[in-house]
C-alpha cells in the first residue's frame, strides 16, 4: 500500500471513531446523569452497582478526548512544518531534488562562468580606471574584489572535493551547494554594481577620445611584441626548448590579437566618421579586450625571460649548498655507524640528492638546459635532505638553509603559477573547471607561502620551521600550477583543433561592456575566425553541457587559439 493510501485509511478510521463517539457520547452523558441520581437516592447501600454503571461512559469520554487531542496536535505540526506554499502540493508529493551528478555539473559550470565573469570584470575595470580614475571606479573595484574572494573560496571547496571526496553523500551535496551559492553571490554582486559602472565604460559618449586612446595602446603593444619576439629568439638559443615552452607561442598569439584589434579599430574609425557612436563603442571595447590579452602575452615573455635568468643565477649556489648538505649527511652517517635510526633517516634523502646533483651538474655542460627545472629538482631533493639533517645541526645553520630553499621554491612556484595563469586567461573560452580549480588553489598557496616568507624575513635568524612550512606550500603551489597548465592545454587541444576564438570575452550578464544579450557580432575583415564581445560561449567538453552563469547570468565566451 502506498504512503498516500495508508494516510487516507488512517484518516477514514479516525473520522469513523470520532463520528461514533459523537453519537454515543450524548447517551453516555445521560446514562451518567441517571446513574448519579440513582446513587444519590440509594444511599450508601447502593453505591457498588452505581459505580460499575459509570465505567463505560467515563472511558468513552477519555477515549474521545484523546482522539481529539491527537488530531489537533497532528494538524498543528503539519501546518508549522509545511515546506510548500499554502495550497500547494504536500511535502510527500514534492519533486525530488537534483542528483549528486547533476549538482556537480551545475557547480563545475558555475565555477567556469563565474571565473569568466570575474576575469572580464577585472579587465574592464583596468580600462575604466585608466579612463575615469580610481575614485570613480572604486565601487566596481570593490565589487570585483568581493566576487574574486567568493570565487576563490568556491574553488577551494572544489579542490577539497578533488583531494578527498567525502564518503557521506549529504556532506558532498552541501559542499556542491555552497559552491553554487558562492558563485551566485559573486555574479549578483557584479550585476548589482553594473549600472553605476557602465557609464565609465561608455566610449560612445567620447568615441573619438576612446578611439585615440585605443590607437595609442595598439602602437605601444605592437612595439613591445617586436621586442618580445627578439627576447624569445634569444631564449631559445640559450636554453632548452622546455625552458621556452611556457611562452613559445606567446608572440604569435599576441600578433593574432593585434590583428583582430587593428580590424576593430578600423571599423570604429569608419563608425565615428559616419556618426554611429554605438557601433564605434562596440568595436572599441572589442579592440580593448584584444589589446589586454596581447599585452598579457607579451608581458609573459618578458617575465619568463627574467625568471630563467634568475634561476640560472641561483643554480650554482643551490648546487653548492646541496653538496655541503651531502657532506654533512655523510659525516653524520659515519658518526652514527651502529646507530640505525639516524643512518636510516639520512641515507635515503642523501642518495636521492646526490643523484640529482650529478644530473644537474651535467646539464649545463651538455649544452642548452632548463634552469628553472634544474633549480626545482635540486631544491626539492635538498629540501628532503635538509629536513633529515634538522636534528643534527645547529639552529642558525638550519634556518639559513631553510630560507635559501624557500627562495628557490618561491621562484619556481611563481614561474609555474604565472605560466598557467597566462595560458588560462588567454584561452579561457576553451578551459574547463579542473584547470581553473588547480590554478586557483596554486595561487592561494603561493600567496600564503609569500606571507609566511615575509614573516620569516622579519624574524631574522629565527623561523627555520616556518621557512620549511612556507617552502612546502610553495612546492605544492608549483605542482598544482603545472597540473593546471597541463589540464588547460588538454582542454584547448580538445576544443580548438585549429578553430580559433578571439575577442575580449565581454560578459553577457549585465556587467561591464554591454547589455545582457551581448553584442554577438562576428569578426570580419579577414580576422581568423574570431568572435568579439558576447560571442558564442566556449567550454571544455568535459565540464558540463551548459554555459548558464550562476544566478541566471549568461556569459559570452572568450578567446583561445586552439
Amino acid at each position: 500500500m502506498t504512503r498516500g493510501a495508508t494516510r487516507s485509511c488512517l484518516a477514514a478510521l479516525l473520522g469513523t471513531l470520532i463520528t461514533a463517539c459523537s453519537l454515543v457520547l450524548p447517551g453516555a452523558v445521560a446514562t451518567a446523569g441517571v446513574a448519579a441520581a440513582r446513587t444519590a437516592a440509594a444511599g450508601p447501600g447502593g453505591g457498588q452497582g452505581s459505580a460499575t454503571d459509570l465505567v463505560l461512559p467515563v472511558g468513552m469520554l477519555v477515549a474521545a478526548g484523546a482522539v481529539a487531542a491527537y488530531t489537533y496536535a497532528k494538524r498543528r505540526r503539519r501546518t508549522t512544518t509545511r515546506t510548500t506554499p499554502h495550497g500547494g502540493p504536500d511535502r510527500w508529493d514534492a519533486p525530488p531534488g537534483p542528483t549528486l551528478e547533476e549538482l556537480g555539473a551545475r557547480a563545475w559550470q558555475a565555477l567556469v562562468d563565474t571565473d569568466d565573469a570575474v576575469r572580464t570584470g577585472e579587465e574592464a575595470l583596468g580600462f575604466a580606471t585608466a579612463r575615469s580614475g580610481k575614485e570613480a571606479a572604486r565601487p566596481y573595484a570593490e565589487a570585483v574584489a568581493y566576487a574574486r574572494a567568493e570565487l576563490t573560496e568556491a574553488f577551494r571547496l572544489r579542490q577539497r572535493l578533488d583531494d578527498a571526496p567525502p564518503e557521506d553523500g549529504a556532506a558532498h551535496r552541501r559542499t556542491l551547494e555552497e559552491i553554487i551559492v558562492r558563485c551566485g553571490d559573486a555574479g549578483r554582486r557584479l550585476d548589482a554594481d553594473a549600472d553605476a559602472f557602465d557609464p565609465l565604460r561608455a566610449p560612445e559618449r567620447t568615441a573619438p577620445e576612446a578611439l585615440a586612446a585605443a590607437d595609442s595602446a595598439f602602437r605601444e603593444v605592437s612595439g613591445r611584441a617586436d621586442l618580445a619576439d627578439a627576447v624569445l629568439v634569444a631564449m631559445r638559443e640559450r636554453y632548452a626548448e622546455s625552458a621556452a615552452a611556457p611562452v613559445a607561442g606567446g608572440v604569435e598569439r599576441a600578433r593574432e590579437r593585434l590583428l583582430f584589434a587593428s580590424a576593430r579599430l578600423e571599423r570604429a574609425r569608419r563608425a565615428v566618421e559616419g556618426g554611429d557612436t554605438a557601433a564605434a563603442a562596440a568595436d572599441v571595447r572589442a579592440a580593448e579586450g584584444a589589446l589586454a590579452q596581447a599585452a598579457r602575452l607579451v608581458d609573459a615573455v618578458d617575465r619568463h625571460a627574467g625568471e630563467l635568468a634568475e634561476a640560472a643565477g641561483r643554480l650554482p649556489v643551490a648546487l653548492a649548498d646541496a653538496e655541503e648538505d651531502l657532506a654533512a649527511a655523510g659525516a653524520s652517517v659515519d658518526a652514527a655507524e651502529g646507530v640505525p635510526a639516524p643512518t636510516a633517516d639520512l641515507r635515503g634523502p642523501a642518495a636521492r640528492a646526490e643523484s640529482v646533483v650529478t644530473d644537474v651538474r651535467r646539464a649545463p655542460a651538455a649544452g642548452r638546459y632548463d634552469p628553472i627545472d634544474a633549480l626545482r629538482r635540486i631544491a626539492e631533493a635538498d629540501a628532503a635532505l635538509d629536513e633529515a639533517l634538522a636534528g643534527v645541526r645547529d639552529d642558525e645553520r638550519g634556518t639559513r638553509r631553510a630560507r635559501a630553499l624557500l627562495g628557490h621554491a618561491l621562484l619556481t612556484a611563481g614561474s609555474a603559477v604565472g605560466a598557467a595563469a597566462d595560458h588560462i586567461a588567454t584561452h579561457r573560452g576553451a578551459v574547463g573547471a579542473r584547470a581553473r580549480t588547480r590554478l586557483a588553489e596554486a595561487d592561494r598557496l603561493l600567496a600564503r607561502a609569500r606571507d609566511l616568507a615575509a614573516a620569516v624575513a622579519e624574524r631574522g635568524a629565527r623561523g627555520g620551521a616556518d621557512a620549511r612550512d612556507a617552502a612546502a606550500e610553495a612546492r605544492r603551489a608549483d605542482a598544482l600550477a603545472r597540473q593546471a597548465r597541463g589540464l588547460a592545454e588538454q582542454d584547448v587541444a580538445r576544443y580548438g583543433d585549429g578553430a580559433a576564438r578571439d575577442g575580449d570575452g565581454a560578459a553577457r550578464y549585465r556587467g561591464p561592456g554591454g547589455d545582457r544579450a551581448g553584442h554577438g557580432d562576428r569578426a570580419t575583415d579577414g580576422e581568423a575566425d574570431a568572435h568579439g564581445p558576447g560571442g558564442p560561449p566556449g567550454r571544455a567538453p568535459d565540464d558540463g553541457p551548459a554555459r548558464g552563469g550562476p544566478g541566471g547570468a549568461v556569459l559570452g565566451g572568450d578567446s583561445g587559439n586552439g
Side-chain angles (χ1 to χ4, degrees), residues 475-522:
R475 287 192 294 274
R476 171 72 171 154
D478 187 3
L480 284 170
R482 285 183 286 149
Q483 288 179 25
R485 175 67 189 262
L487 289 168
E489 289 174 346
Q490 292 172 19
D491 286 345
V492 172
R494 285 195 297 267
Y495 174 82
D497 196 18
R501 283 172 22 83
D502 244 324
D504 71 347
R508 287 188 178 182
Y509 73 102
R510 186 170 175 78
D515 55 18
R516 288 187 186 275
H519 302 294
D521 50 348
R522 189 173 179 84

Side-chain angles (χ1 to χ4, degrees), residues 252 272 323 559:
E252 180 183 355
V272 167
E323 288 171 341
S559 63

Side-chain angles (χ1 to χ4, degrees), residues 35-36 38-55:
R38 288 178 178 174
T39 301
Q48 187 69 25
S50 300
T52 303
D53 292 338
L54 287 173
V55 172

